[in-house]
Amino acid sequence: MPKSKRNRPVTLSKTKKKPGLERKGKVVAEIKDAVEKYSSAYVFTFDNMRNQKLKDLREQLKSSSRIFLAGKKVMQIALGRSPADEAKTGLHKLSKFLQGDSGLLFTNLPRDDVERLFRDFEEHDFARTGSTATETVELKEGPLEQFTHEMEPFLRKQGLPVRLNRGVVELVADHLVCEEGKPLSPEAAQTLRLLGIQMATFRLYLVCRWSCDDFEVYKEGLAHLGADDDSS
């Protein structure tokens, strides 16, 4: 009779830690290290995150700063959520603003330089499915000379009423790609990309700033985050 798997002994000394817990512990340790290494810390929020653009920004700032985008509870634990467990005096005030789409910036840059960097940061890209259209795009009946004849089947799959006329892709009727203020369908997002129309802008907004002797909240970033201003 085969042995029951339920009664199989487990050697506890060989039990491995869960990878997720190890990663979280590493992030907590790195944030605590950043608290000691850098003179100020900011919570920031963003619109239309683009990972590659953020990677480029990290590279640009690596000599003076460190950016963290991790689980909110993990970052809060590292900072402290009350005066009793904060890593440094006043640091727990950052924790309550870590909500929604937010991250941490630790830096030795002067405040004016950080504010200028965030104010000027703007990267345009193609909008994704579900994003809100920033303008109405309508294609008029007639030839679409920017597309080769090989594109005609693919354009039809995107819902465009097209045909080939002597090897030229032709729109047989006006076609509304998207309407301002409404979410983009997968077909609309793909069509805008084909047309070269970028509707997404990756922006960063400062929400609040901490240093050993100061704490302030940025109203514009707070509005984007949707948090209440209570820094007590």
Side-chain angles (χ1 to χ4, degrees):
M1 183 175 180
K3 293 182 179 180
S4 171
K5 292 183 179 180
R6 294 181 181 179
N7 297 325
R8 183 176 294 170
V10 177
T11 304
L12 295 178
S13 61
K14 293 184 180 180
T15 302
K16 294 182 179 180
K17 293 183 179 179
K18 294 182 179 179
L21 291 177
E22 291 182 351
R23 284 195 298 270
K24 290 176 182 178
K26 183 180 178 182
V27 172
V28 168
E30 288 176 349
I31 290 176
K32 287 183 177 294
D33 181 63
V35 169
E36 300 299 325
K37 184 176 179 180
Y38 299 101
S39 60
S40 58
Y42 297 78
V43 171
F44 65 89
T45 187
F46 50 84
D47 290 335
N48 300 304
M49 169 59 70
R50 294 297 186 265
N51 291 332
Q52 184 56 52
K53 303 297 185 183
L54 183 66
K55 183 179 179 180
D56 294 343
L57 181 63
R58 279 189 163 122
E59 183 66 22
Q60 175 187 337
L61 296 175
K62 69 178 183 179
S63 64
S64 63
S65 311
R66 180 80 187 270
I67 293 173
F68 291 91
L69 277 178
K72 307 303 178 292
K73 289 184 178 180
V74 173
M75 293 190 289
Q76 289 171 347
I77 289 170
L79 295 173
R81 289 185 269 198
S82 69
D85 62 3
E86 61 188 3
K88 281 191 175 182
T89 302
L91 199 61
H92 78 280
K93 295 178 181 180
L94 294 175
S95 289
K96 76 176 297 282
F97 294 99
L98 286 169
Q99 52 184 278
D101 294 327
S102 59
L104 283 171
L105 167 71
F106 290 90
T107 184
N108 287 323
L109 291 173
R111 180 177 61 182
D112 289 348
D113 289 356
V114 176
E115 291 175 353
R116 186 182 308 109
L117 173 70
F118 274 68
R119 185 171 58 249
D120 295 343
F121 186 87
E122 187 176 273
E123 295 286 349
H124 299 285
D125 200 357
F126 296 106
R128 296 169 178 168
T129 300
S131 299
T132 301
T134 58
E135 61 180 288
T136 297
V137 175
E138 184 175 13
L139 299 176
K140 296 298 183 180
E141 177 183 352
L144 298 174
E145 295 179 352
Q146 66 267 51
F147 300 120
T148 63
H149 67 276
E150 293 94 342
M151 291 289 295
E152 188 264 344
F154 184 73
L155 293 171
R156 273 193 282 109
K157 286 184 179 180
Q158 307 312 311
L160 275 69
V162 293
R163 67 180 180 186
L164 281 178
N165 185 0
R166 295 181 181 179
V168 177
V169 179
E170 184 178 72
L171 200 63
V172 300
D174 293 350
H175 177 71
L176 182 65
V177 177
C178 62
E179 190 173 346
E180 182 179 357
K182 293 188 176 181
L184 296 176
S185 67
E187 296 78 15
Q190 183 62 56
T191 301
L192 291 173
R193 181 179 288 271
L194 292 173
L195 293 170
I197 299 174
Q198 297 182 328
M199 286 193 180
T201 304
F202 175 27
R203 289 192 179 95
L204 299 171
Y205 305 93
L206 293 173
V207 176
C208 56
R209 171 186 175 272
W210 169 90
S211 65
C212 288
D213 56 1
D214 191 26
F215 184 82
E216 66 177 310
V217 175
Y218 296 89
K219 293 188 180 298
E220 182 183 7
L222 195 66
H224 278 82
L225 187 65
D228 296 323
D229 184 1
D230 180 6
S231 55
S232 59

